[in-house]
Amino acid sequence: MAKKKKKTTDYSALIAACDTGTSMVESKPLRHIKLQGFPGGGKSHFALSYFAHNAKGMKPEECLMTIIDCDLEGQRDLVARDEIVPPALRPRLYRKVCRDPEEVNDISLAFIDLHRQHAEQYPEGLRVMLMENEGAFYLACRDYYSLEVHGKTEADLLLSRQAQAVSEGKKTLPLFAEGQMHSYKVINKMFFQPYERMKVGAELYGYHFLSTVLMRSYTENFGTPNENRVVAAAGRADMTDPLFDWIIELTQQQRTVKGELKTRHVMEVRKSRSCPPFRMENPTQEKIWAHVDKQ
């Protein structure tokens, strides 16, 4: 029989390891930001320019940015633009394109460890972690579960379940025969685990944690008097929103004036623990944080 660990009554070491209000305020500020918007809104642009902006005045080796790219679109063209990422910073950016939940979990642990090593070597350095994008990763988790448990992709399983419903004279059947309580408990755990680890790592090793998510538009009660257009973020906002101190929505607006296409970028801060929410047109990193500092 295993011996019971003797319970300590001396908590002084634990208390000494705690943050105080003073140490929290005086520590280097970290911003954990969720960037949401429709395609082309400028989410990846914001993340990369955020890294470059905060790296100003620092040596390249003092800076590190890691990207887990789950939307498979990549950021090559943005990184290639000198005004977004200066050439000297490009070797300090690491990206892994993947969507498989096991691979995402592995690379998140690898990147967290990379930030740990960087923090040991450059305690006052700049570190940024970016997760692209939430909705795509959530769908990948659902697909992975469907393949592992049922041997079919979610789309193929949906077709087979619909065919089964028709053969049984029913209108429809739940996607997962084992029920939502079991299936989504597993899917949600698989989805949330990397986010949770990256946020904990951010606090331990001093990196800014950024994440992107696409907005989606759909119609509720279609064809009825109560028809309503709804705009919401993809993925699982109820799980991930609490991890972030900032939620910023980015929009690109275009119109033609006398045959010339005019573009305007709009940023709306939906959530912030540093200042009241605000709206800014054609924002730059300099304008954004100068405004925040004045609050």
Side-chain angles (χ1 to χ4, degrees):
M1 180 180 285
K3 291 182 179 180
K4 287 186 178 179
K5 187 177 180 182
K6 189 176 179 180
K7 194 173 179 71
T8 182
T9 55
D10 181 6
Y11 299 106
S12 57
L14 285 173
I15 299 301
C18 292
D19 295 323
T20 66
T22 302
S23 67
M24 290 167 67
V25 171
E26 291 178 350
S27 63
K28 186 177 180 179
L30 296 173
R31 298 189 185 102
H32 307 309
I33 308 172
K34 175 183 272 195
L35 303 164
Q36 60 187 38
F38 288 100
K43 300 178 294 300
S44 298
H45 185 291
F46 183 104
L48 292 168
S49 62
Y50 180 84
F51 172 59
H53 171 73
N54 284 280
K56 287 180 179 177
M58 303 179 74
K59 297 177 181 178
E61 60 270 21
E62 296 175 327
C63 308
L64 173 66
M65 182 174 189
T66 55
I67 303 171
I68 301 175
D69 184 7
C70 296
D71 63 14
L72 311 182
E73 293 180 7
Q75 299 83 17
R76 182 188 178 282
D77 290 342
L78 293 175
V79 173
R81 290 167 56 182
D82 293 354
E83 73 274 18
I84 300 177
V85 180
L89 279 180
R90 290 173 191 161
R92 305 304 305 148
L93 190 152
Y94 293 79
R95 182 191 70 169
K96 178 64 176 177
V97 178
C98 57
R99 184 176 283 183
D100 179 277
E102 286 191 350
E103 195 172 3
V104 169
N105 194 54
D106 288 344
I107 195 62
S108 68
L109 291 172
F111 279 163
I112 290 169
D113 190 61
L114 188 62
H115 284 284
R116 177 192 63 79
Q117 296 175 51
H118 190 267
E120 289 179 356
Q121 190 171 4
Y122 303 103
E124 299 303 314
L126 168 68
R127 288 170 287 281
V128 178
M129 174 91 82
L130 172 63
M131 178 70 168
E132 293 242 40
N133 78 42
E134 180 181 323
F137 181 53
Y138 185 66
L139 291 177
C141 290
R142 290 170 57 113
D143 222 28
Y144 182 87
Y145 175 87
S146 184
L147 279 166
E148 288 292 305
V149 177
H150 298 280
K152 299 177 180 179
T153 64
E154 185 177 1
D156 289 339
L157 181 61
L158 186 61
L159 287 171
S160 67
R161 292 288 283 169
Q162 190 60 38
Q164 182 184 346
V166 172
S167 68
E168 295 176 2
K170 298 177 181 178
K171 197 170 184 179
T172 187
L173 284 171
L175 175 60
F176 300 119
E178 63 273 25
Q180 289 190 351
M181 183 175 291
H182 173 76
S183 56
Y184 284 98
K185 188 177 288 186
V186 177
I187 291 168
N188 291 342
K189 177 67 175 176
M190 192 188 312
F191 164 76
F192 187 65
Q193 191 174 57
Y195 280 90
E196 186 176 39
R197 285 175 171 169
M198 285 186 276
K199 177 61 184 291
V200 172
E203 295 299 326
L204 287 174
Y205 307 124
Y207 59 80
H208 304 263
F209 180 29
L210 278 60
S211 176
T212 67
V213 61
L214 283 170
M215 302 296 289
R216 60 192 180 97
S217 174
Y218 62 94
T219 303
E220 285 185 339
N221 304 312
F222 180 75
T224 71
N226 297 322
E227 182 174 306
N228 182 41
R229 181 174 178 268
V230 178
V231 177
R236 289 300 305 265
D238 58 318
M239 299 177 71
T240 57
D241 279 6
L243 294 175
F244 297 94
D245 307 320
W246 294 77
I247 297 178
I248 297 177
E249 190 167 315
L250 300 161
T251 309
Q252 183 188 90
Q253 300 173 347
Q254 294 181 326
R255 64 173 182 163
T256 303
V257 179
K258 297 180 179 179
E260 184 179 353
L261 184 66
K262 300 287 186 180
T263 302
R264 177 175 65 177
H265 292 274
V266 178
M267 183 197 79
E268 295 183 66
V269 175
R270 299 293 189 184
K271 170 189 173 183
S272 168
R273 291 176 178 163
S274 302
C275 66
F278 65 94
R279 183 179 188 273
M280 184 178 288
E281 294 185 5
N282 296 322
T284 64
Q285 295 294 332
E286 289 77 8
K287 286 169 60 178
I288 294 166
W289 306 116
H291 175 87
V292 171
D293 290 341
K294 290 178 182 177
Q295 302 303 303

